[in-house]
Amino acid sequence: MPRYLRTIFAGNICVLLATALCVASCSPTTMTRTSEPAPAKAFTPLTWADLTVRPRPKADATIAYGSDQMQKIDLWRPSGEGPHPVVLMVHGGCWQTKIADRSLMDWIAGDLRDAGIAVWNIDYRGVDRAGGGYPGTFADAAAAADRLATAAQEYDLDLTRVVAVGHSAGGHLALWLAARVKLSSKSPLVAANPLKIAHVVSLGGLPDLEATAASPDNGCGTDVVAKLVGTDRADPYADTSVPRLLPLGVPQTLVNGREDRIIPYRMATDYVARATAAGDRVELVTIPATGHVELVTPDSAAWQDTRRRILALLGRPAAR
């Protein structure tokens, strides 16, 4: 028997003998029984394949707002009479078309439609596509959002009840869409009448582009930020990074998984601290045992919690 096994064996024998002597000599009233807690089950986050393998629901209509194939919006319209409250939905994918498009949000869009909420699921050109980056990606998101105002009557949508919901990089764009009213008149992204957003829900978002560019541990990397904001201006974050536009004057809810391995948790806590200090009403909802994909997976605890919040914001009772 190897020496290290002999040592362990001998030690165990000593423990057993000592325990036996205590049992024989101690009265029941002086004996203490202890038990070790069961080891915590290791958390295994969902993958994109876990979501995309599911049957995919279908949108009710697709609306173009430009000539590029990414300049489209999927409308998910509930049955019955309106006007229907609306979720303006923005997908993530590190602002890159090759990583994700609006179809990644189909499952939660369908889930919201089933709950009586219309979903305006927008797409945009990523930084890896001709016309994307600055100002194209931002201009696309803005044009897609503002197209809702001109389509509302046709589809019986309620413009007084619009909540923006963005996931990951889409969380940044959802917050930015609410912040557009703060843009300088000198910015090429300024709009005369931007869509009015009542509340923003960011799911594992990246609101602070400067912090993202300085954080190699974020799942999108740092090089993509320069492609997004441009490098030919004196201050490329002035009209692109949400903290630069605080206070937004719009209530915000950040939902983050505590075990998100793609978006560092500090991205949420740091932004909430800055937004709160600036005077905005901001809530951080931390979901334990939750990664990044769970935030947009219909039957996850994270999405069920978010869904209840969205329904409450839009005046719809939760059916489950």
Side-chain angles (χ1 to χ4, degrees):
M1 179 182 296
R3 180 180 297 174
Y4 76 93
L5 286 180
R6 288 200 303 269
T7 302
I8 294 173
F9 182 76
N12 288 341
I13 288 295
C14 291
V15 171
L16 290 172
L17 288 173
T19 302
L21 288 172
C22 179
V23 170
S25 61
C26 298
S27 67
T29 58
T30 60
M31 290 179 61
T32 302
R33 299 182 63 186
T34 61
S35 60
E36 293 293 328
K41 185 179 180 181
F43 170 70
T44 303
L46 293 180
T47 66
W48 288 119
D50 293 325
L51 175 63
T52 58
V53 73
R54 303 173 181 220
R56 184 187 296 272
K58 294 183 179 180
D60 297 280
T62 298
I63 301 158
Y65 65 91
S67 58
D68 191 274
Q69 73 176 75
M70 303 312 299
Q71 293 176 318
K72 289 186 170 59
I73 303 144
D74 284 341
L75 171 63
W76 301 72
R77 186 184 181 281
S79 59
E81 295 184 1
H84 302 287
V86 184
V87 160
L88 167 62
M89 188 168 284
V90 192
H91 72 82
C94 298
W95 305 280
Q96 296 176 69
T97 300
K98 66 183 178 183
I99 293 179
D101 60 24
R102 67 189 185 279
S103 66
L104 199 60
M105 309 297 271
D106 285 352
W107 290 270
I108 59 171
D111 192 47
L112 287 172
R113 178 182 60 186
D114 292 345
I117 305 297
V119 178
W120 192 255
N121 186 19
I122 71 171
D123 224 327
Y124 50 87
R125 290 169 295 177
V127 301
D128 55 339
R129 191 173 184 86
Y134 184 89
T137 297
F138 294 91
D140 279 4
D146 291 344
R147 181 71 175 84
L148 173 58
T150 61
Q153 185 173 359
E154 179 182 356
Y155 294 105
D156 206 7
L157 307 176
D158 187 352
L159 291 178
T160 68
R161 291 185 291 170
V162 178
V163 170
V165 176
H167 177 246
S168 197
H172 156 257
L173 288 174
L175 288 163
W176 180 84
L177 287 169
R180 284 191 296 155
V181 295
K182 304 296 293 292
L183 291 175
S184 164
S185 59
K186 297 179 181 180
S187 171
L189 300 174
V190 72
N193 295 296
L195 178 74
K196 185 174 177 57
I197 295 171
H199 199 109
V200 182
V201 179
S202 170
L203 307 174
L206 287 161
D208 189 336
L209 296 183
E210 291 176 276
T212 303
S215 302
D217 59 338
N218 90 81
C220 290
T222 57
D223 292 344
V224 68
V225 179
K227 296 176 183 178
L228 177 66
V229 303
T231 57
D232 57 349
R233 295 173 295 136
D235 188 357
Y237 296 107
D239 58 354
T240 57
S241 188
V242 179
R244 292 294 197 91
L245 301 169
L246 292 171
L248 308 189
V250 175
Q252 304 150 54
T253 301
L254 276 68
V255 181
N256 284 73
R258 195 62 185 89
E259 286 74 40
D260 192 331
R261 300 173 184 174
I262 296 176
I263 305 301
Y265 184 66
R266 69 177 184 279
M267 296 289 185
T269 56
D270 291 353
Y271 173 78
V272 168
R274 292 185 66 177
T276 301
D280 274 343
R281 195 170 85 232
V282 188
E283 179 185 17
L284 173 58
V285 180
T286 303
I287 311 293
T290 294
H292 201 59
V293 180
E294 288 87 346
L295 298 172
V296 289
T297 300
D299 55 4
S300 71
W303 174 250
Q304 290 299 309
D305 182 86
T306 300
R307 182 180 185 272
R308 286 190 295 270
R309 294 173 186 276
I310 293 171
L311 294 181
L313 290 170
L314 292 171
R316 283 283 190 267
R320 62 185 185 211

